[in-house]
Amino acid sequence: MTTEHKGSCLCGGIQITFTGAPKKNFICYCSDCRKGSGHLGQFISQYDSDDVKVTDKDSNLKEFVVTATKSGFPKRKQYCGGCGSTILTLPMKHNGEVAMVRPSLLDSDFSQFAPNLGIFGDVKTEYTKGCETDEFF
Ligand SMILES: [Zn+2]
Ligand SMILES: [Zn+2]
């Protein structure tokens, strides 16, 4: 049986289900992700769009299209208008067939989502100089 991973936005207005294992798990440190997520890096998993189901019973889902991208293709960033949580991004380089979802929306079971790749890491390096972890960690 294929595993379903269920999550929601902060207010609970939007439910999301990812079916099966993610194709990739990574942290993106680009400036769009930094601003959009409120974190130094954004935690992202890649799925085929067909394996991602968004339930939006109160029509809270909004979209912001990022047009100035490194790839030259727009990115459709979808978020909850009720609480501001980012739900997913559809990079139009892939005609909407690839969904970059936020595993941070899951309610539990992050075991298949451990990021093992960082992209645009030059930004991370620039911002985390002098931010060494101590021997405790
Ligand atoms: Zn919400
Ligand atoms: Zn990014």
Side-chain angles (χ1 to χ4, degrees):
M1 199 184 105
T2 312
T3 313
E4 288 196 335
H5 305 277
K6 292 180 185 295
S8 69
C9 64
L10 183 58
C11 75
I14 294 176
Q15 314 291 317
I16 190 163
T17 304
F18 318 145
T19 302
K23 298 200 156 183
K24 266 182 208 161
N25 298 311
F26 60 95
I27 297 180
C28 184
Y29 296 99
C30 81
S31 59
D32 292 344
C33 285
R34 190 177 73 240
K35 292 188 178 195
S37 69
H39 286 271
L40 190 58
Q42 179 155 244
F43 183 17
I44 299 174
S45 293
Q46 182 183 330
Y47 274 89
D48 289 339
S49 296
D50 290 345
D51 293 329
V52 177
K53 188 171 152 241
V54 174
T55 307
D56 176 27
K57 63 179 167 40
D58 299 323
S59 300
N60 279 328
L61 196 69
K62 305 267 187 239
E63 183 170 284
F64 175 72
V65 180
V66 183
T67 53
T69 62
K70 287 199 165 98
S71 70
F73 291 88
K75 290 185 291 192
R76 295 169 53 197
K77 174 187 148 79
Q78 298 185 342
Y79 63 98
C80 175
C83 66
S85 297
T86 297
I87 308 299
L88 55 82
T89 304
L90 299 170
M92 295 316 286
K93 186 179 178 182
H94 306 287
N95 299 313
E97 292 165 14
V98 171
M100 298 299 188
V101 302
R102 310 294 179 250
S104 48
L105 300 173
L106 293 175
D107 296 316
S108 60
D109 188 14
F110 289 83
S111 57
Q112 287 186 54
F113 296 90
N116 57 7
L117 179 70
I119 64 171
F120 298 110
D122 50 325
V123 179
K124 178 192 171 200
T125 307
E126 180 189 331
Y127 282 88
T128 55
K129 274 180 205 154
C131 195
E132 301 294 330
T133 50
D134 69 24
E135 62 191 13
F136 232 55
F137 303 97

